[in-house]
Amino acid sequence: MADRQNDVPLDDVPLVGHAFDGIQEYDNPLPGWWKWLFVGSIVYSLLYLPYYHFGAPGRSVAEKYDVALGENMRLQFAEIGELKPDEATLVRMMNDPGWVKVGESVYRTNCASCHGIDGGGIVGPNLADEHFKNVREITDILRVVQNGAAAGAMPAWKNRLVMNEQILVSSFVASLRGTSPANPKGPEGNIIPPWPEPAAEESPDAEEANDEASADEAESEP
Amino acid sequence: MANAVTPVSESQSSGEHPGGELESFQYNDSITRMFAAATVLWGAVAMLVGTIVASLMVMPKLFFELGPYGEFLTFGRLRPLHTNAAIFAFAGNAIFAAIYYSTQRLCKCRMWSDTLGLLHFWGWQLIILAAAITLPLGITQSKEYAELEWPIDIAIAVVWVGFFGVNFMMTLITRRERHMYVALWFYIATVVTVALLHVFNNLVVPVGWFKSYSLYAGVQDAFMQWWYGHNAVAFFLTTPFLGLMYYFLPKAAERPVFSYKLSILHFWSLVFIYIWAGPHHLHYTALPEWASTMGMLFSLMLWMPSWGGMINGLLTLRGAWHKVATDPVLKFFVVGITFYGMATFEGPLLSIKSVNSLSHYTDWTIAHVHSGALGWNGMMTFGMLYWLLPRLFQTPLWSSKLATWHFWVATIGILVYIVPIYAAGLTQGLMWREMDETGRLVYPDFIETVQTIVPHWTIRIFGGLLFLSGMLMLVLNFLMTWRARPAVYDEPTYTAARLGPYRDVERVAASSLEDKPVLELGKRVEAWARMDWHRSWERLPVKFTVLTLLAVVIATLFEVIPTFLIRGNVPTIASVKPYTPLELAGRDIYVAEGCFNCHSQMIRPIVAETKRYGEYSKPGESIYDRPFQWGSRRIGPDLAREGGLRSSFWHWLHFEDPEQVSPGSVMPNYEHLLVNRLDFKQITDRVRAAHLLGAPYDRELDEAPQMAREQAEVIAAEIVSQGGPVKRGDVLLIETQAVALIAYLQRLGVDLTRPAETDSEAAGDATTEEAVEDVGGGATAPDEDTPDEDDSAPL
């Protein structure tokens, strides 16, 4: 339709027959593509609205978010399931480079602003040296992550991160020990014994053995 | 040069009975000259400030050598100055110049009142001046493009409605041209809708001369703000410029307008549909989803109405394209209208929810806005001014060659500005959401995403500089043309017949299907579609104005009423409590510093976003937020869940110099917060105003300063215990604004997950008070029962 108009010599198109300060107007019809795209956008809207707002459940933003979040959790943790918040798990994860990376991602999102991107410490203490303020054994890291420390200067994360994230970030923090940050903060707290050695084998049996071992340790401590 | 109106031929051409008595009149071009000069001046200022704020993003410490004065020149305070100058000073004066020049000629009469014109001009310039002073001082309502505080808002309403609106409407009423041309329709829509938007978005409760709290809170405030914000674009930057286009383009091209029918249809559809589209600025936020859907769908429907203007502009040039090659005025118009077409295609695109989830909070929006503002508003203004200058100053343009240079420099400048910024927006948006195959954020460190796009920001400065240098060419051309003006302006006298009562026989529209075998209804529809009915509306300016107003009001009410009345839109969250007096004071500092210009407080229900910032924001969380602080751009990270995330000392260090704790940060230092004292006494007024608006305060009403001091002591003690100083210079830490701001930041987003302990504390307080006040009553009896018991005693 638009083409047809263009084919018409300009002076053949009728004018509307009035002028304003010398400005005249052609009496051209509405371009067809314009008219039909306009109608199309209205029809689309009339279909969209009932589909998303009066249709089947599961189409709202909140519902779709819940599904996406569930999928993301599965993607991240389907392999390891629900981790147990114990020493064996922390040590095992600390020595698994793949899962340390996951912990590092959590660390960089939430912890790096106070402890530094490489754990050297800024406002929060240096995590790479041998000195620790609130930690005597590896499970204390998880406890501090969960409950905070230093009268709230270190926030509690138990409501902000899911358990697996708490455990993995603790393992990552443990793995920082002995690394060399670019700008290390001075030592704070006491020197503590090294982290426990990881179990020799990675098999379901070994995991059980680990559990037993940690239970043994727990018994032996008092 | 002026287009002489020859009375005889003109009155015939408008189909008027030449019965009315002939009158002589002259046009008032002096007012147009003034507005044109103001356009050029403020245009240069707005673009200069724009270049400065662009530079601040790359060099945040640029003004630190200025010492204590640096606090007035931070990005957060200057960015609103840039946007306000560009919109209200540059584009504003441009549309006034256009309206004052063209309305007189389209109505064949002088503006109704020269005095009102002068009051309008000087009033508007004073408002701009007031904005330029108050915004750097941190006096702001923090609503985008409505930052100016309430006394200035009242001045704007008076100048707009009382001086400009009355003068314009009275000119229409006293006109000597029977029908109103399409440019006037767009001016009418501008005048009534801007007044409506301005008044209802700026309803506040004043707290002194320089501070106010919005009448709306949280979700509703956000809704009203973007109803306003979006339609400021529609009715301040679109409709008046379409009116401008409809007058100056056919004038410059000397061609008839492409289609009268298209004018009618795209005008009414634009006016009716635009007003709904505001919520597309709030996709995935705590705004109810139905409103967001409305915003998206009406934006999609707006595509063709917007393009109707573009088509009518570009096709008007058919038969005149050879002139575009030689005439800089037409060059500006062609590029301006093309940018209008691109921006109004991109607008609906960005309003699609899934696209918006990527673009929102990124530079994509900034690029979109600048392709509209520089491309459409800038180029149309330049074209109009180059056409006007010889006519206003009655001498040839000083240099047409320089105008052509301006055109090329500006066009290239726009491209150098928007291309890297589009790329920056896409890059940052994609980095924020990028997750690897195991479902982790690939770029968990926010600053990494900022550093990636800093080079884009650097290139953008050069684009801005090019555009600014083009503007300076216009300044030069303006001045030199002005200098060559005649000693006395020639003011030709025109004559036209006064409008008598309309006596023309209304042509009964006969359908061309009259003889065809078609249903009667079909014939009627066909006749109606020829739109002769619109001709009668064009004769009646008051009716036309009322119809336009109805179109925007009805559309508005469809969205406003449910937003305000349906309680389910904002489900109450029991643990959300009002801010403490100190937090309230801190929030006011947050607003004054313009933190919202870089930090959003609105986490969207998108996995990549909740992984980065925490649980998504709920509508019930911002019920005490007056004004809302959801923000529109994340130059820094979202702060909706900032509370408790970092130590108070971290924040203190961050204000002193962000790079101490965030290497690579582009945030400026806020050292002045560490030494500026907080006015504790002032908090009482703030608390009372918030209480008036519904915040359930009690003890705070009388003891706000004391309570604020107590909390300041706690925060200061925290900072000191974490290694902070007790005082800086001779200012004690507990007295500083920093402590109040930290108190506010530590509160952000914590209410949602706060355990019930505060409830029991509150109950504990109440019990104690009752124990004191209610001597005879039981300790568990609620306060309200006590008077009842007293009342019952005499019975």
Side-chain angles (χ1 to χ4, degrees):
Chain A
M1 276 174 130
D3 292 342
R4 195 201 62 205
Q5 287 155 20
N6 287 331
D7 292 340
V8 177
L10 286 178
D11 293 329
D12 288 4
V13 179
L15 286 159
V16 179
H18 51 239
F20 303 94
D21 195 25
I23 301 172
Q24 293 182 291
E25 292 165 292
Y26 282 123
D27 195 16
N28 273 315
L30 304 171
W33 62 270
W34 183 89
K35 195 160 51 182
W36 291 113
L37 273 177
F38 190 23
V39 171
S41 68
I42 295 170
V43 171
Y44 174 80
S45 300
L46 291 174
L47 298 175
Y48 182 101
L49 186 69
Y51 181 84
Y52 280 100
H53 289 272
F54 316 124
R59 289 169 185 172
S60 77
V61 167
E63 288 164 316
K64 281 195 212 151
Y65 167 75
D66 290 340
V67 171
L69 187 66
E71 269 169 25
N72 180 267
M73 283 296 151
R74 267 197 297 285
L75 191 61
Q76 284 196 85
F77 302 125
E79 205 183 306
I80 49 174
E82 293 247 330
L83 292 176
K84 275 189 236 157
D86 56 22
E87 181 180 294
T89 312
L90 287 170
V91 173
R92 183 157 54 93
M93 289 300 159
M94 183 185 109
N95 290 287
D96 182 328
W99 290 110
V100 165
K101 279 237 163 283
V102 178
E104 183 181 4
S105 167
V106 179
Y107 176 88
R108 290 180 62 173
T109 312
N110 301 297
C111 318
S113 69
C114 292
H115 293 285
I117 202 101
D118 52 8
I122 301 174
V123 180
N126 185 342
L127 302 174
D129 63 6
E130 294 296 316
H131 294 257
F132 287 85
K133 280 168 83 176
N134 301 301
V135 174
R136 284 195 56 240
E137 53 191 81
I138 194 164
T139 46
D140 289 336
I141 300 179
L142 179 60
R143 187 176 50 75
V144 170
V145 166
Q146 287 177 327
N147 302 318
M154 165 75 193
W157 294 90
K158 59 174 178 251
N159 291 329
R160 292 178 190 263
L161 300 174
V162 301
M163 177 58 88
N164 276 5
E165 288 174 322
Q166 297 166 18
I167 291 169
L168 290 170
V169 79
S170 302
S171 292
F172 171 73
V173 167
S175 79
L176 285 171
R177 189 172 176 186
T179 58
S180 319
N183 297 303
K185 208 179 165 189
E188 294 170 84
N190 309 314
I191 297 184
I192 58 166
W195 308 136
E197 285 299 314
E201 284 173 73
E202 290 289 321
S203 69
D205 295 344
E207 200 177 322
E208 278 180 34
N210 270 347
D211 288 348
E212 282 170 26
S214 61
D216 289 347
E217 274 178 36
E219 278 172 18
S220 65
E221 246 188 35
Chain B
M1 277 300 208
N3 289 270
V5 178
T6 48
V8 181
S9 67
E10 278 298 303
S11 54
Q12 279 173 351
S13 70
S14 64
E16 181 60 32
H17 289 267
E21 124 194 27
L22 281 184
E23 291 175 330
S24 304
F25 56 93
Q26 291 170 317
Y27 294 136
N28 178 359
D29 283 345
S30 125
I31 190 76
T32 314
R33 280 190 282 271
M34 291 163 78
F35 277 118
T39 308
V40 173
L41 170 72
W42 292 122
V45 172
M47 290 163 205
L48 178 68
V49 179
T51 317
I52 291 172
V53 292
S55 309
L56 281 174
M57 289 181 68
V58 180
M59 298 172 279
K61 306 191 179 191
L62 188 61
F63 291 136
F64 282 7
E65 282 73 36
L66 295 176
Y69 301 106
E71 89 175 77
F72 306 113
L73 299 170
T74 56
F75 180 85
R77 295 195 188 187
L78 289 187
R79 188 251 180 185
L81 187 64
H82 163 60
T83 53
N84 277 277
I87 298 169
F88 300 110
F90 171 60
N93 278 302
I95 64 182
F96 297 140
I99 290 174
Y100 276 84
Y101 185 87
S102 58
T103 301
Q104 301 187 72
R105 281 151 178 92
L106 292 170
C107 291
K108 275 192 210 154
C109 71
R110 192 182 179 89
M111 286 308 288
W112 184 63
S113 161
D114 289 357
T115 315
L116 282 180
L118 285 173
L119 283 170
H120 173 197
F121 177 80
W122 288 111
W124 197 256
Q125 310 315 315
L126 281 176
I127 286 164
I128 295 168
L129 207 60
I133 294 169
T134 56
L135 291 173
L137 288 176
I139 297 167
T140 174
Q141 296 184 151
S142 89
K143 291 174 141 191
E144 283 180 75
Y145 328 125
E147 286 94 347
L148 304 177
E149 263 301 349
W150 67 273
I152 308 177
D153 283 337
I154 293 175
I156 293 173
V158 169
V159 169
W160 185 274
V161 179
F163 302 158
F164 171 50
V166 167
N167 201 8
F168 175 76
M169 287 311 298
M170 289 310 293
T171 309
L172 290 187
I173 288 167
T174 56
R175 76 199 185 284
R176 296 185 186 87
E177 180 74 69
R178 180 62 77 186
H179 291 93
M180 294 185 299
Y181 175 59
V182 52
L184 295 176
W185 315 343
F186 279 104
Y187 298 159
I188 289 172
T190 304
V191 171
V192 295
T193 316
V194 169
L196 183 79
L197 296 166
H198 173 72
V199 169
F200 284 95
N201 187 41
N202 283 300
L203 293 178
V204 294
V205 169
V207 193
W209 285 98
F210 303 116
K211 176 69 193 169
S212 60
Y213 288 135
S214 174
L215 204 58
Y216 322 105
V219 171
Q220 278 123 7
D221 198 39
F223 174 84
M224 289 305 284
Q225 157 57 24
W226 285 111
W227 169 76
Y228 165 89
H230 178 72
N231 290 301
V233 175
F235 291 90
F236 208 92
L237 299 177
T238 303
T239 55
F241 280 87
L242 283 169
L244 180 164
M245 176 193 86
Y246 273 113
Y247 181 81
F248 292 95
L249 177 72
K251 277 291 198 186
E254 295 172 315
R255 293 290 313 166
V257 170
F258 168 69
S259 170
Y260 167 66
K261 280 202 183 82
L262 186 58
S263 296
I264 295 174
L265 216 71
H266 103 92
F267 170 78
W268 285 105
S269 53
L270 195 82
V271 166
F272 182 71
I273 294 176
Y274 234 123
I275 206 92
W276 299 72
H280 70 210
H281 290 254
L282 297 166
H283 281 331
Y284 295 101
T285 66
L287 190 77
E289 199 177 340
W290 64 265
S292 167
T293 297
M294 285 306 199
M296 164 178 157
L297 295 178
F298 277 87
S299 306
L300 292 178
M301 289 189 263
L302 195 55
W303 177 23
M304 281 306 120
S306 302
W307 271 22
M310 175 189 72
I311 297 166
N312 243 352
L314 289 181
L315 293 187
T316 295
L317 287 168
R318 286 195 311 179
W321 281 101
H322 59 284
K323 292 187 197 163
V324 177
T326 53
D327 183 3
V329 171
L330 288 180
K331 280 194 176 72
F332 277 113
F333 284 159
V334 167
V335 170
I337 296 167
T338 308
F339 268 107
Y340 176 64
M342 294 191 327
T344 53
F345 169 72
E346 194 188 9
L349 177 73
L350 288 174
S351 78
I352 296 171
K353 288 181 189 176
S354 50
V355 178
N356 195 272
S357 72
L358 173 65
S359 74
H360 195 44
Y361 298 131
T362 74
D363 273 333
W364 190 345
T365 314
I366 317 300
H368 169 62
V369 165
H370 281 83
S371 76
L374 305 181
W376 161 243
N377 302 117
M379 298 303 250
M380 294 305 285
T381 302
F382 299 147
M384 173 191 78
L385 286 172
Y386 284 117
W387 187 86
L388 273 177
L389 285 183
R391 288 160 178 85
L392 291 176
F393 295 123
Q394 300 176 358
T395 181
L397 185 68
W398 180 63
S399 169
S400 185
K401 207 172 172 184
L402 189 62
T404 307
W405 266 95
H406 178 186
F407 167 77
W408 287 110
V409 168
T411 305
I412 295 168
I414 296 173
L415 294 177
V416 176
Y417 184 108
I418 62 173
V419 171
I421 291 303
Y422 275 119
L426 271 171
T427 305
Q428 202 177 18
L430 290 170
M431 286 176 91
W432 286 342
R433 61 160 57 170
E434 179 81 358
M435 296 215 258
D436 66 12
E437 67 287 348
T438 61
R440 291 180 290 131
L441 290 174
V442 176
Y443 305 99
D445 181 13
F446 189 89
I447 288 179
E448 193 179 356
T449 72
V450 175
Q451 286 301 320
T452 309
I453 60 168
V454 165
H456 300 246
W457 290 349
T458 312
I459 303 171
R460 177 254 300 270
I461 298 174
F462 291 102
L465 279 174
L466 277 173
F467 200 78
L468 173 64
S469 59
M471 182 74 214
L472 296 178
M473 294 175 193
L474 171 58
V475 172
L476 181 65
N477 228 335
F478 187 98
L479 286 175
M480 298 309 282
T481 309
W482 171 75
R483 280 183 54 173
R485 72 196 181 283
V488 180
Y489 287 116
D490 179 30
E491 291 191 16
T493 301
Y494 304 97
T495 51
R498 180 199 288 184
L499 285 188
Y502 189 72
R503 281 174 294 154
D504 203 359
V505 182
E506 193 77 42
R507 269 188 305 128
V508 180
S511 170
S512 60
L513 303 173
E514 210 57 63
D515 311 328
K516 311 269 163 54
V518 181
L519 285 178
E520 190 59 29
L521 182 68
K523 292 175 188 174
R524 282 203 198 161
V525 168
E526 201 274 344
W528 182 85
R530 281 168 31 201
M531 292 190 259
D532 287 333
W533 46 271
H534 200 267
R535 286 301 278 168
S536 69
W537 292 10
E538 292 164 27
R539 292 192 291 271
L540 304 162
V542 177
K543 178 179 177 180
F544 201 99
T545 306
V546 170
L547 288 171
T548 311
L549 188 62
L550 277 178
V552 292
V553 168
I554 289 172
T556 299
L557 291 180
F558 267 108
E559 286 186 349
V560 165
I561 291 177
T563 304
F564 280 81
L565 294 189
I566 300 178
R567 283 180 59 86
N569 284 334
V570 186
T572 321
I573 301 169
S575 58
V576 173
K577 301 284 181 225
Y579 296 103
T580 67
L582 186 69
E583 289 158 5
L584 193 67
R587 186 170 203 280
D588 293 343
I589 295 166
Y590 184 96
V591 167
E593 291 296 347
C595 304
F596 59 89
N597 284 294
C598 297
H599 294 282
S600 58
Q601 284 186 24
M602 177 48 61
I603 302 165
R604 300 174 293 172
I606 296 169
V607 173
E609 196 147 318
T610 53
K611 287 188 87 64
R612 187 182 295 278
Y613 299 117
E615 179 62 19
Y616 67 87
S617 302
K618 308 289 188 290
E621 285 186 89
S622 42
I623 54 171
Y624 298 114
D625 286 3
R626 296 169 195 272
F628 80 112
Q629 293 290 298
W630 296 0
S632 63
R633 171 80 180 93
R634 285 180 186 152
I635 296 171
D638 188 277
L639 300 180
R641 303 249 174 262
E642 182 63 25
L645 212 57
R646 283 165 255 264
S647 69
S648 297
F649 182 46
W650 184 94
H651 286 292
W652 193 92
L653 287 172
H654 193 242
F655 292 143
E656 188 182 43
D657 179 1
E659 286 216 273
Q660 291 184 105
V661 284
S662 297
S665 167
V666 295
M667 177 163 146
N669 298 4
Y670 281 89
E671 259 185 289
H672 62 272
L673 296 175
L674 309 181
V675 289
N676 286 0
R677 288 191 170 89
L678 182 71
D679 185 350
F680 282 89
K681 268 186 278 176
Q682 194 184 50
I683 302 177
T684 306
D685 291 341
R686 309 270 164 112
V687 165
R688 285 185 178 161
H691 179 70
L692 182 72
L693 288 162
Y697 287 126
D698 179 20
R699 192 158 77 87
E700 290 89 344
L701 294 174
D702 299 315
E703 299 171 25
Q706 190 198 328
M707 292 173 73
R709 271 187 198 283
E710 285 164 10
Q711 195 184 356
E713 276 168 28
V714 174
I715 304 252
E718 254 173 59
I719 295 173
V720 171
S721 75
Q722 291 157 7
V726 176
K727 59 200 267 188
R728 188 183 180 88
D730 57 352
V731 185
L732 285 171
L733 182 59
I734 54 165
E735 299 177 321
T736 59
Q737 296 183 346
V739 166
L741 184 51
I742 291 170
Y744 170 63
L745 291 173
Q746 296 290 25
R747 177 68 187 277
L748 286 178
V750 300
D751 280 13
L752 186 67
T753 50
R754 188 168 47 182
E757 66 194 27
T758 37
D759 284 334
S760 60
E761 258 177 40
D765 285 352
T767 322
T768 330
E769 278 163 29
E770 276 161 25
V772 177
E773 291 166 14
D774 184 16
V775 184
T780 51
D783 271 348
E784 302 93 282
D785 286 356
T786 318
D788 288 342
E789 286 169 12
D790 291 345
D791 287 347
S792 64
L795 292 171

